[in-house]
Amino acid sequence: MLAIRFDRFGGPEVLTPVDVPVPVPGPGETLITVEAAGVNFADTFQVDGSYLSPDLLPHVPGGEVVGRTRDGRRVLAKVTHGYAQHVVARESAVVEVPEALDAAAALALLTQGLTAWHLLRSAARLRPGERVVVHSAAGGVGTLAVQLAREFGAGRVLAQASTADKERLALELGADEVVRYPLEAGADVILDAAGGELFEHALGSLADFGRLVTYGNASRTAFAALDPARLSRLNAAVVGFWLRPTLARPGALREPLEELLALTLRGRLRPVTGTEYPLAEAGRAHTDLLARRTTGKIVLRP
């Protein structure tokens, strides 16, 4: 079968199409024929070595797929080697999805949807009426976080994005306005995956008892040391978030995912889908993602 593998760390150029055996499911696992595999920013960190050690090479990346099991179920699944024509998944990490739901839309609800859900519910512990700022609001997580913040009762939702077109998309999805730092009124919750200078602007714009949730470092800039005294003066908190350990908690995957699917099927949540690439062109998908040329959910089609 066709899979995408890298044998050394680097940029998108190290992603190589290879022919490998079809995996064999073990106890409690199921084999899935892949309809589409999701591409996430975290995948680029696997490829450049930020997430993996050399002893795990060679490696097939990819953490999510939509596909069909041997018994005919159409499923959405968390996996560990998703850039392939066939994958195995734990039955506990599989959720059935309706035939009518587009594969890219379903994939948007898995890593990005669960991230947005947990950022607001588990990390920020959003309360009704609070003022929320979403950085990278036209991205996979951001487009869903803007909508979920409104769904979960935020008083105002402010969007930050890198281009005018992306700002317009965030406004179409329900953001009240585009954010400009420094904020005059401050924010109760700020969601940041960029790091760097944007993180510093956000930290200085928190309202009393505000929470800045950091869940990535797309700027690839080293974080400055956080002075606890500064947080005391701000009367604020910085909260770190990573989805992988979160999903190990009981009830952290299936229940939120079922809520996201239900909201989507009722038309209350609109997953934004982006470009689709052939599986063999995974390197091009990573190149476009790193260059910020993409919007919404990117998928690979075997």
Side-chain angles (χ1 to χ4, degrees), residues 17 37 56 63 114 119 122 177 186 191 215 244 259 272:
L56 294 176
L114 287 171
L119 283 171
S122 305
E177 59 183 286
L191 308 180
Y215 65 102
R244 185 183 297 175
E259 180 181 359
V272 177

Side-chain angles (χ1 to χ4, degrees), residues 53-278:
S53 60
D55 62 295
L56 294 176
L57 297 179
H59 188 77
V60 175
E64 58 188 18
V65 299
V66 165
R68 201 167 296 277
T69 62
R70 282 175 169 172
D71 59 4
R73 292 174 294 152
R74 186 171 186 252
V75 297
L76 179 62
K78 287 291 290 181
V79 297
T80 53
H81 305 293
Y83 289 12
Q85 289 179 307
H86 302 276
V87 300
V88 294
R90 291 178 293 105
E91 276 289 353
S92 60
V94 167
V95 175
E96 291 192 39
V97 293
E99 298 288 345
L101 186 60
D102 176 73
L107 284 165
L109 300 178
L110 196 48
T111 299
Q112 280 105 342
L114 287 171
T115 296
W117 193 99
H118 281 292
L119 283 171
L120 293 163
R121 289 289 202 207
S122 305
R125 301 187 181 184
L126 178 66
R127 295 186 290 268
E130 290 192 311
R131 186 177 171 93
V132 178
V133 175
V134 179
H135 292 174
S136 307
V141 173
T143 52
L144 292 165
V146 165
Q147 298 174 75
L148 288 174
R150 176 72 67 209
E151 185 72 26
F152 295 163
R156 289 188 68 76
V157 181
L158 311 182
Q160 180 278 331
S162 58
T163 69
D165 285 344
K166 292 182 176 183
E167 290 176 346
R168 281 193 290 273
L169 173 61
L171 293 171
E172 289 171 9
L173 292 173
D176 293 295
E177 59 183 286
V178 171
V179 68
R180 295 284 184 266
Y181 284 113
L183 295 179
E184 292 183 8
D188 301 295
V189 171
I190 302 177
L191 308 180
D192 174 61
E197 185 178 356
L198 197 57
F199 176 90
E200 287 298 318
H201 286 315
L203 184 59
S205 296
L206 287 171
D208 208 32
F209 292 104
R211 289 90 70 204
L212 169 54
V213 184
T214 173
Y215 65 102
N217 185 19
S219 68
R220 309 284 176 123
T221 303
F223 280 94
L226 263 179
D227 180 5
R230 182 183 181 191
L231 294 179
S232 298
R233 290 192 298 271
L234 291 170
N235 217 11
V238 173
V239 182
F241 176 81
W242 189 15
L243 183 64
R244 185 183 297 175
T246 301
L247 293 183
R249 301 169 57 198
L253 189 151
R254 187 173 296 273
E255 288 84 351
L257 186 54
E258 288 176 346
E259 180 181 359
L260 292 169
L261 284 165
L263 287 170
T264 301
L265 292 172
R266 294 205 306 268
R268 297 183 65 87
L269 185 64
R270 172 192 156 197
V272 177
T273 57
T275 308
E276 297 188 358
Y277 301 80

Side-chain angles (χ1 to χ4, degrees), residues 12 41 44 162-163 166 218 220 277 283-295 298:
F41 208 91
T44 69
S162 58
T163 69
K166 292 182 176 183
R220 309 284 176 123
Y277 301 80
R284 184 163 66 90
H286 277 221
T287 297
D288 291 346
L289 178 62
L290 289 167
R292 308 286 180 92
R293 289 194 289 264
T294 63
T295 298
I298 307 169

